[in-house]
Short mmCIF file of all heavy atoms in Angstrom, two decimals:
data_model
loop_
_atom_site.label_atom_id
_atom_site.label_comp_id
_atom_site.label_asym_id
_atom_site.label_seq_id
_atom_site.Cartn_x
_atom_site.Cartn_y
_atom_site.Cartn_z
N LEU A 91 -6.12 51.02 -15.47
CA LEU A 91 -5.01 51.58 -14.71
C LEU A 91 -3.83 50.62 -14.70
O LEU A 91 -2.67 51.03 -14.83
CB LEU A 91 -5.46 51.90 -13.29
CG LEU A 91 -4.38 52.46 -12.35
CD1 LEU A 91 -3.79 53.75 -12.90
CD2 LEU A 91 -4.96 52.70 -10.95
N LEU A 92 -4.11 49.34 -14.55
CA LEU A 92 -3.05 48.34 -14.56
C LEU A 92 -2.34 48.30 -15.92
O LEU A 92 -1.12 48.19 -15.99
CB LEU A 92 -3.63 46.96 -14.23
CG LEU A 92 -4.19 46.78 -12.81
CD1 LEU A 92 -4.83 45.41 -12.66
CD2 LEU A 92 -3.07 46.95 -11.78
N ILE A 93 -3.12 48.40 -16.99
CA ILE A 93 -2.53 48.38 -18.33
C ILE A 93 -1.65 49.61 -18.53
O ILE A 93 -0.51 49.51 -18.99
CB ILE A 93 -3.64 48.33 -19.40
CG1 ILE A 93 -4.39 47.00 -19.33
CG2 ILE A 93 -3.05 48.53 -20.80
CD1 ILE A 93 -5.58 46.92 -20.26
N TYR A 94 -2.18 50.79 -18.16
CA TYR A 94 -1.43 52.02 -18.39
C TYR A 94 -0.16 52.08 -17.54
O TYR A 94 0.87 52.58 -17.99
CB TYR A 94 -2.31 53.24 -18.09
CG TYR A 94 -1.62 54.55 -18.37
CD1 TYR A 94 -1.55 55.07 -19.65
CD2 TYR A 94 -1.00 55.26 -17.34
CE1 TYR A 94 -0.90 56.25 -19.93
CE2 TYR A 94 -0.34 56.45 -17.59
CZ TYR A 94 -0.29 56.94 -18.89
OH TYR A 94 0.37 58.11 -19.14
N SER A 95 -0.23 51.56 -16.31
CA SER A 95 0.92 51.62 -15.42
C SER A 95 2.10 50.82 -15.95
O SER A 95 3.25 51.06 -15.56
CB SER A 95 0.54 51.12 -14.03
OG SER A 95 0.18 49.75 -14.07
N LYS A 96 1.84 49.86 -16.84
CA LYS A 96 2.92 49.08 -17.45
C LYS A 96 3.54 49.80 -18.66
O LYS A 96 4.60 49.41 -19.12
CB LYS A 96 2.40 47.72 -17.88
CG LYS A 96 1.92 46.85 -16.72
CD LYS A 96 1.35 45.53 -17.22
CE LYS A 96 0.84 44.67 -16.05
NZ LYS A 96 0.26 43.39 -16.51
N LEU A 97 2.83 50.83 -19.14
CA LEU A 97 3.29 51.54 -20.33
C LEU A 97 3.99 52.85 -20.01
O LEU A 97 4.88 53.28 -20.75
CB LEU A 97 2.09 51.83 -21.25
CG LEU A 97 1.26 50.62 -21.69
CD1 LEU A 97 0.05 51.10 -22.48
CD2 LEU A 97 2.11 49.66 -22.52
N SER A 98 3.59 53.49 -18.92
CA SER A 98 4.11 54.82 -18.62
C SER A 98 4.08 55.06 -17.12
O SER A 98 3.19 54.55 -16.42
CB SER A 98 3.27 55.88 -19.34
OG SER A 98 3.74 57.18 -19.08
N PRO A 99 5.04 55.83 -16.58
CA PRO A 99 5.02 56.13 -15.14
C PRO A 99 3.85 57.02 -14.77
O PRO A 99 3.37 57.81 -15.58
CB PRO A 99 6.36 56.85 -14.92
CG PRO A 99 6.72 57.41 -16.26
CD PRO A 99 6.20 56.42 -17.27
N ILE A 100 3.38 56.87 -13.55
CA ILE A 100 2.27 57.66 -13.03
C ILE A 100 2.81 58.58 -11.95
O ILE A 100 3.67 58.19 -11.15
CB ILE A 100 1.17 56.75 -12.46
CG1 ILE A 100 0.59 55.87 -13.58
CG2 ILE A 100 0.06 57.56 -11.80
CD1 ILE A 100 -0.42 54.86 -13.10
N ALA A 101 2.37 59.83 -11.93
CA ALA A 101 2.84 60.81 -10.96
C ALA A 101 2.76 60.23 -9.55
O ALA A 101 1.76 59.61 -9.17
CB ALA A 101 2.01 62.09 -11.07
N SER A 102 3.82 60.43 -8.78
CA SER A 102 3.92 59.81 -7.46
C SER A 102 2.78 60.22 -6.53
O SER A 102 2.30 59.41 -5.72
CB SER A 102 5.26 60.16 -6.82
OG SER A 102 5.41 61.57 -6.69
N ALA A 103 2.31 61.47 -6.64
CA ALA A 103 1.24 61.94 -5.75
C ALA A 103 -0.06 61.19 -6.00
O ALA A 103 -0.92 61.13 -5.12
CB ALA A 103 1.03 63.44 -5.93
N CYS A 104 -0.23 60.62 -7.19
CA CYS A 104 -1.46 59.88 -7.50
C CYS A 104 -1.63 58.69 -6.57
O CYS A 104 -2.75 58.30 -6.23
CB CYS A 104 -1.45 59.40 -8.95
SG CYS A 104 -1.41 60.71 -10.20
N HIS A 105 -0.50 58.10 -6.13
CA HIS A 105 -0.57 56.91 -5.27
C HIS A 105 -1.11 57.24 -3.89
O HIS A 105 -1.52 56.33 -3.16
CB HIS A 105 0.82 56.29 -5.15
CG HIS A 105 1.39 55.81 -6.45
ND1 HIS A 105 0.94 54.68 -7.10
CD2 HIS A 105 2.35 56.32 -7.26
CE1 HIS A 105 1.60 54.49 -8.22
NE2 HIS A 105 2.47 55.49 -8.35
N ASN A 106 -1.12 58.52 -3.52
CA ASN A 106 -1.63 58.90 -2.21
C ASN A 106 -3.15 58.99 -2.19
O ASN A 106 -3.75 59.13 -1.11
CB ASN A 106 -1.05 60.25 -1.79
CG ASN A 106 0.45 60.21 -1.61
OD1 ASN A 106 1.00 59.19 -1.23
ND2 ASN A 106 1.12 61.33 -1.88
#
Side-chain angles (χ1 to χ4, degrees):
L91 178 59
L92 294 175
I93 293 174
Y94 183 81
S95 64
K96 296 177 181 179
L97 304 174
S98 180
I100 297 175
S102 59
C104 298
H105 298 287
N106 296 329

